[in-house]
Amino acid sequence: MRKITIKLLTKLAEKYVTTGAILILALFVYGIVGSIIIMHLNPIDAIYYTVITMATVGYGDFTPHTGIQKIFATTLALGGVGLLAYVFNIMLTSFQERMSEYSKGAMKLKAIKNMEDYYIICGFGRVGKVVFEELIDRNQNVIVIDKDEEVCENIEEHDNVVVINKDAIENDLITKLADEKCRSVIICTGDDVINLFTVLTIRETNPDAWIVTRASKLENIKRLRKAGANKIVSPEIIGGKDLYFESARPHLLRVTVRHTPHKILGEFKIITKHGCTLENIDYHLPGIETPLTRQIKTMNLLDGEKYINYLNTHDDQRQALGNLYKISNNIHSHLISGPDTNTFDNLIKDLESVDEIIGVNLSNKEIAEITKKEIE
């Protein structure tokens, strides 16, 4: 709110200075004309008399004698003093506001210089706000760049947060900030053209910068990738997945089990036997609420057999998977989609023959409490 107030005051100051200058010019013309007609001076002396009277210098070489001359001199002097004081006051106020802005700019640059590393968010719309909140929750240093001061007015700036209300590509701003101290540039605007140009601008001078950008339209993903973006996130794709899972939720089953790696294929045979799809696997570390997730998304038994053959021929991968099972105490969850609840009932019965089933449709918090007890 304060930023908007300063901006409005600056605009008003410029407006009032212009108005004041016009009024001073009008008073000056009034003084010259009056000096010629009322004071009976020639044009040169009229200009001279008008200046010294408006400035209240009054050398005394021209003295009003009649009543009308005295009234004229008085109005000219008072008008000059009032208008000059008014204009200079407005100019001083405007100057102070500008100096304040320059001082803030210097403080922002100093804050950025003192940051050991930081993330840059270009665009503070709905997506940018979510990214910002996630970074702040993790105590990260953040630089927000958005030329719209109004959308950033609620951001509280401090040592870890700096807001720059400018165009990211103006005066090579983004290329100067996307240096070795920058962990990532996150481009969140809803305009793919702006995103593309920003990616190109950064990549042109910062080949090692890590760039994550939003793509509003699917057809622009390839263009953004060719421009140099390392990661591209499309709300259309994410939204589509969310819509699918929400629509399938009545036919989604999360089964938390305990078994060793050698039972993977047997378990997968049961899932595919019932015409279900294994969407993903969550590995639960003891006492930690957020699991490690692997996306699977297959209902083809052949995929399971290929994976087992791959493990049998790659000792390092088999050992890595074994270590993951040991860390999680062999506890993990399967997200399974299927045609109906009856199928799920039969699926669970068959899984009980090969797995130790810990629970069905448990939350991460509930599973974390269970795994916590495992190590106590």
Side-chain angles (χ1 to χ4, degrees), residues 170-239:
E170 181 182 351
N171 297 324
D172 294 328
L173 172 64
I174 191 66
T175 59
K176 294 173 184 176
L177 294 176
D179 55 16
E180 63 276 2
K181 295 198 329 180
C182 177
R183 287 189 173 184
S184 177
V185 181
I186 307 166
I187 306 170
C188 303
T189 79
D191 189 328
D192 286 350
V193 175
I194 294 176
N195 296 346
L196 180 64
F197 197 69
T198 305
V199 171
L200 286 170
T201 302
I202 299 170
R203 189 59 73 205
E204 185 178 13
T205 54
N206 302 75
D208 297 326
W210 184 261
I211 305 172
V212 180
T213 183
R214 172 185 176 182
S216 295
K217 296 182 179 180
L218 296 178
E219 59 265 28
N220 291 327
I221 291 178
K222 290 183 179 179
R223 297 186 181 96
L224 287 163
R225 185 172 289 112
K226 287 181 180 178
N230 298 98
K231 293 288 184 180
I232 302 162
V233 179
S234 171
E236 287 187 17
I237 295 176
I238 295 175

Side-chain angles (χ1 to χ4, degrees), residues 234-254:
S234 171
E236 287 187 17
I237 295 176
I238 295 175
K241 288 183 179 178
D242 289 343
L243 286 172
Y244 163 71
F245 281 121
E246 288 301 324
S247 65
R249 192 160 299 283
H251 307 303
L252 281 176
L253 177 72
R254 191 188 199 198

Side-chain angles (χ1 to χ4, degrees), residues 109-123:
L109 291 176
K110 184 178 179 181
I112 293 172
K113 186 177 181 180
N114 291 336
M115 289 180 179
E116 293 184 3
D117 49 52
Y118 49 77
Y119 290 83
I120 299 174
I121 298 176
C122 296

